[in-house]
Amino acid sequence: MPLILQFDFMIRALAAGAIVGALGPVLGMFLVLRRFSLIADTLSHVALMGVAIGLATGVHPSLVALAAASAGAITIEYLSSRQRLPGDVTLAIVLYSSLAVAVVIISGARGFSVDLFSFLFGSILSVSELDLFLLAGLGIAVLVYVTVFFSELSQASFDPALARVTGVRVGWINLGLAILTGATITLSMRVVGVLLVGALLVIPVLAGERLVSGLRAALGVGVAVGVASAIIGLTVAFYKDLSAGGAIVLTSVVFLFVAQGYAVLRDRRRPFSTE
Amino acid sequence: MRNKGTPILEFRSVSYRYSGTVAVDDITLTMSAGDFMAVVGPNGSGKTTLIKLALGLLKPSGGRIRLFDHEPGDFLDWHRVGYVPQVAAGIQERFPATVAEIVAHGSYSGFAPLRFWKRTKTAEVMAALEAAGVAHLSDRRIGELSVGQQQRVLVARALVGEPHLLVLDEPAAGIDAAGEEALNDLLQRLNHEQGISVLIVSHDIGAVMRQANTVACINRSLVFHGQPHELTQNELGKLYGFPVEVLLHDALHEHR
């Protein structure tokens, strides 16, 4: 048996990584298509604020982070729906105000910088069995939501006004997506950390979109890239003693470059791709 | 169509204001089943706002709208309406959906949990693509098509649900003369042969005059509502706010 599979903590890490690698692109696809990629980054900083509040008050930081990320997701959807505010402005406001709160709390209450570091950069090697169960449960919820509402989600990302006139409840669909995104980001923080969690939602999707046509096909390839990045990245990190989160994200970036290179060659061979 | 002549869209003294600006002012008009109605007016005259009000995408600040005898905001029978939005403004180039996937969205009829696992290229989808003349593009990505082709795909998307009313917002914007003529032919056939009511927004008065049986000229308020041949030079002048010569002069001035 290879060395990496001889440790329980690595098996848990690989399982958690694979789930996170699959979940990221499933949610991320619709966020990318809505040009809302940075919602992932924003919600991860909202979750960080939750962690800071949790650590400062002694309440379980992950729980507070989960509540904060859900509240953040609802706030963002409310502010940006029906053009109350432009999407990027909404994200900027929520990101910086929650980050500021986090920084103020952290600077005010010294003494938990070690715990905080594990949230900032991830600590996949300390994934517990409970974490794994939570991730698996969330994974099932996300898969069910996305497959059941696939048409609604696709339409809402293609053209929200057109979707509404087709009978899709765009506001509710996007709200569900945002809440699941908040939950996924909170639980994924353990694996790659606050700073990099957004990458898992965005980069595999971009790679998938370069490789195949069709929403379902792009989703499938995105998930494959996400899972492969997690497993390869973790393995490399284990043997070379590197940061797991960094290695996972760098692996997905390599996939993206390869996909882009392939797409350029493919499109060059085709005499005309547009008219 | 059955019930030809019954009102399907009614505006009663409808106004729409946003941040102090009046975009639509006290408009009253009626569209009946089987009508081919053109909404014309200069840029910024509130044509698109009128369409968005009719479809419940905007709420009127005053007055009352009935779409198939319902408030557009409470309307649920969206399969009766096929909407073709302005395409020129931009479909994302990278959007990975295929043409068939986009058209299949048009047959949406509410919650169906197993839809993800079903085929996209159904007979209905292919028939709609055929009718819009873009069946050969079914596997291409929507984002890599020309604007004219995207327009036709969105027409197919609107047709696949077999609507009673087709609403098109400036479908000719960004397409060439041949594409425009093909689209006009298609709309004419749908209206005459299948009895589909058509509501079309345009700033090209000449083109819609030949097709429409009802015209609504708006410039924030309603300038004219009736049959195209009743429209006079005088009303056209009023529509654009000044005589046509001045308009031409102005256009030249702008393009210099």
Side-chain angles (χ1 to χ4, degrees):
Chain A
M1 196 194 280
L3 185 63
I4 189 168
L5 296 179
Q6 287 172 20
F7 299 98
D8 280 350
F9 70 87
M10 269 321 288
I11 291 173
R12 280 197 301 272
L14 285 168
I19 296 173
V20 168
L23 279 188
V26 168
L27 293 164
M29 172 144 127
F30 300 103
L31 301 172
V32 169
L33 295 183
R34 287 172 63 202
R35 303 183 187 217
F36 231 40
S37 319
L38 290 181
I39 196 176
D41 222 24
T42 305
L43 289 178
S44 68
H45 286 87
V46 176
L48 178 68
M49 176 181 76
V51 168
I53 295 173
L55 289 173
T57 57
V59 184
H60 197 298
S62 291
L63 281 182
V64 186
L66 193 61
S70 305
I74 295 169
T75 308
I76 291 167
E77 282 302 332
Y78 175 78
L79 288 177
S80 62
S81 66
R82 308 214 178 189
Q83 272 103 46
R84 282 183 189 91
L85 277 177
D88 57 339
V89 174
T90 309
L91 294 180
I93 293 171
V94 175
L95 193 160
Y96 294 122
S97 45
S98 52
L99 185 56
V101 172
V103 168
V104 165
I105 293 175
I106 292 163
S107 66
R110 283 163 224 289
F112 53 76
S113 61
V114 177
D115 290 332
L116 196 68
F117 256 63
S118 79
F119 284 99
L120 278 178
F121 296 104
S123 59
I124 191 168
L125 303 185
S126 64
V127 168
S128 68
E129 238 164 70
L130 176 68
D131 291 333
L132 202 53
F133 276 124
L134 285 175
L135 264 177
L138 179 67
I140 292 167
V142 168
L143 280 181
V144 168
Y145 185 76
V146 168
T147 51
V148 163
F149 292 110
F150 191 74
S151 175
E152 287 87 344
L153 286 162
S154 307
Q155 294 194 53
S157 12
F158 181 65
D159 182 336
L162 185 57
R164 275 162 69 191
V165 175
T166 313
V168 175
R169 309 244 172 182
V170 174
W172 290 110
I173 284 296
N174 284 342
L175 185 64
L177 180 70
I179 291 173
L180 286 174
T181 304
T184 300
I185 283 168
T186 309
L187 294 182
S188 307
M189 277 193 320
R190 295 302 294 271
V191 179
V192 284
V194 168
L195 297 175
L196 283 172
V197 67
L200 286 187
L201 277 81
V202 175
I203 292 179
V205 174
L206 298 176
E209 174 273 314
R210 297 279 64 204
L211 291 174
V212 288
S213 293
L215 291 167
R216 287 182 283 197
L219 184 72
V221 174
V223 169
V225 169
V227 173
S229 302
I231 288 172
I232 295 171
L234 271 173
T235 308
V236 171
F238 175 77
Y239 285 108
K240 299 282 173 195
D241 198 17
L242 303 170
S243 143
I248 292 171
V249 172
L250 276 178
T251 310
S252 71
V253 172
V254 170
F255 273 114
L256 176 60
F257 274 113
V258 171
Q260 175 65 24
Y262 167 81
V264 168
L265 288 177
R266 174 193 61 197
D267 293 345
R268 205 180 277 165
R269 235 180 271 151
R270 200 164 50 185
F272 53 87
S273 62
T274 54
E275 283 179 48
Chain B
M1 188 198 264
R2 293 157 308 184
N3 309 326
K4 193 173 165 80
T6 48
I8 54 175
L9 177 64
E10 296 174 87
F11 277 59
R12 294 274 165 268
S13 311
V14 173
S15 301
Y16 181 75
R17 273 174 233 97
Y18 64 93
S19 50
T21 315
V22 180
V24 167
D25 186 18
D26 192 26
I27 288 191
T28 296
L29 53 81
T30 303
M31 183 180 176
S32 304
D35 273 357
F36 193 126
M37 180 161 153
V39 179
V40 297
N43 284 335
S45 58
K47 302 186 296 287
T48 296
T49 306
L50 194 80
I51 294 296
K52 288 188 170 165
L53 287 165
L55 296 173
L57 295 170
L58 296 173
K59 274 207 179 99
S61 325
R64 196 155 156 261
I65 303 171
R66 305 292 283 177
L67 175 67
F68 291 107
D69 218 18
H70 290 275
E71 295 272 338
D74 305 331
F75 188 67
L76 295 173
D77 269 352
W78 287 112
H79 69 94
R80 298 175 80 175
V81 179
Y83 172 43
V84 182
Q86 275 189 33
V87 82
I91 285 173
Q92 296 179 46
E93 203 184 309
R94 289 279 185 86
F95 205 88
T98 62
V99 164
E101 282 178 318
I102 294 294
V103 173
H105 288 163
S107 59
Y108 179 78
S109 56
F111 183 65
L114 297 179
R115 196 186 279 116
F116 178 79
W117 307 102
K118 299 208 168 122
R119 274 169 56 84
T120 315
K121 281 169 80 172
T122 58
E124 296 84 62
V125 166
M126 290 314 291
L129 282 166
E130 200 75 54
V134 281
H136 60 292
L137 301 174
S138 64
D139 292 325
R140 297 273 294 276
R141 274 188 186 215
I142 180 82
E144 64 181 27
L145 305 182
S146 70
V147 171
Q149 289 171 330
Q150 289 176 344
Q151 193 75 70
R152 291 177 145 255
V153 171
L154 292 187
V155 171
R157 183 196 184 282
L159 289 179
V160 74
E162 302 189 341
H164 302 175
L165 167 65
L166 199 55
V167 180
L168 303 99
D169 192 358
E170 301 257 15
I175 64 178
D176 58 20
E180 192 178 339
E181 202 172 303
L183 181 69
N184 288 341
D185 283 351
L186 172 66
L187 295 178
Q188 199 75 342
R189 264 188 290 126
L190 292 169
N191 182 244
H192 284 178
E193 291 165 21
Q194 297 183 33
I196 297 177
S197 314
V198 178
L199 175 62
I200 183 169
V201 166
S202 177
H203 56 237
D204 182 357
I205 298 187
V208 297
M209 282 305 174
R210 293 191 293 276
Q211 296 190 300
N213 70 342
T214 318
V215 178
C217 300
I218 65 165
N219 195 356
R220 288 201 206 111
S221 56
L222 190 68
V223 175
F224 172 83
H225 181 31
Q227 294 179 5
H229 64 86
E230 299 167 346
L231 184 58
T232 65
Q233 204 65 19
N234 180 28
E235 277 151 345
L236 271 180
K238 250 195 341 203
L239 177 62
Y240 289 94
F242 33 74
V244 174
E245 300 86 64
V246 179
L247 179 75
L248 272 175
H249 175 84
D250 244 8
L252 286 172
H253 187 80
E254 257 175 44
H255 286 130
R256 203 170 47 189

